[in-house]
Amino acid sequence: MTDDTSTADDSKAADSSDDRVRVWLVERTYSDDELNIVILVYATEDGERYHRRERALTSFTGATRETKASLLVPRNSLGTVDDPETRAQYAAEASRVAAKHDPDDAI
């Protein structure tokens, strides 16, 4: 798993200096098979790429474990969204979150 580090850089595209990509929170769900796991899905604003994180429900306490509106993640940690409906949903939600929040906002 990658770390939750995000920067104040508000660019929404790839960071060419280290090949990281800005992704925005698009989905927060509970795991079906693990009751204490929360699944966070971040996506690019075009909805074509996503990054998934799993966190223990108990890890959501304290300021250091806030869920950020956006992350910068390595390009190689992104998956491809193949389903057109999911891609459209992720694009809409990522764009909404990006317009409403700064990257470091806790949501």
Side-chain angles (χ1 to χ4, degrees):
M1 217 179 259
T2 58
D3 71 34
D4 280 344
T5 304
S6 62
T7 66
D9 172 22
D10 63 353
S11 70
K12 296 173 182 144
D15 181 339
S16 60
S17 66
D18 58 12
D19 204 30
R20 293 187 298 169
V21 176
R22 169 99 31 221
V23 291
W24 297 87
L25 185 65
V26 296
E27 192 173 276
R28 186 179 351 210
T29 59
Y30 291 96
S31 173
D32 290 337
D33 55 348
E34 295 288 333
L35 296 177
N36 292 323
I37 300 293
V38 175
I39 300 167
L40 303 172
V41 178
Y42 289 82
T44 55
E45 282 190 77
D46 60 11
E48 293 183 9
R49 307 288 303 250
Y50 76 98
H51 177 76
R52 177 181 159 136
R53 299 254 168 117
E54 294 182 4
R55 288 180 37 195
L57 187 58
T58 56
S59 73
F60 283 90
T61 58
T64 60
R65 294 303 295 178
E66 293 176 331
T67 299
K68 299 293 184 182
S70 178
L71 302 173
L72 279 174
V73 298
R75 185 175 302 280
N76 65 357
S77 72
L78 295 173
T80 302
V81 180
D82 297 325
D83 178 59
E85 266 187 46
T86 302
R87 191 177 320 129
Q89 174 189 345
Y90 284 1
E93 185 63 12
S95 295
R96 185 190 72 77
V97 172
K100 188 175 179 181
H101 296 280
D102 289 330
D104 286 332
D105 284 354
I107 57 174

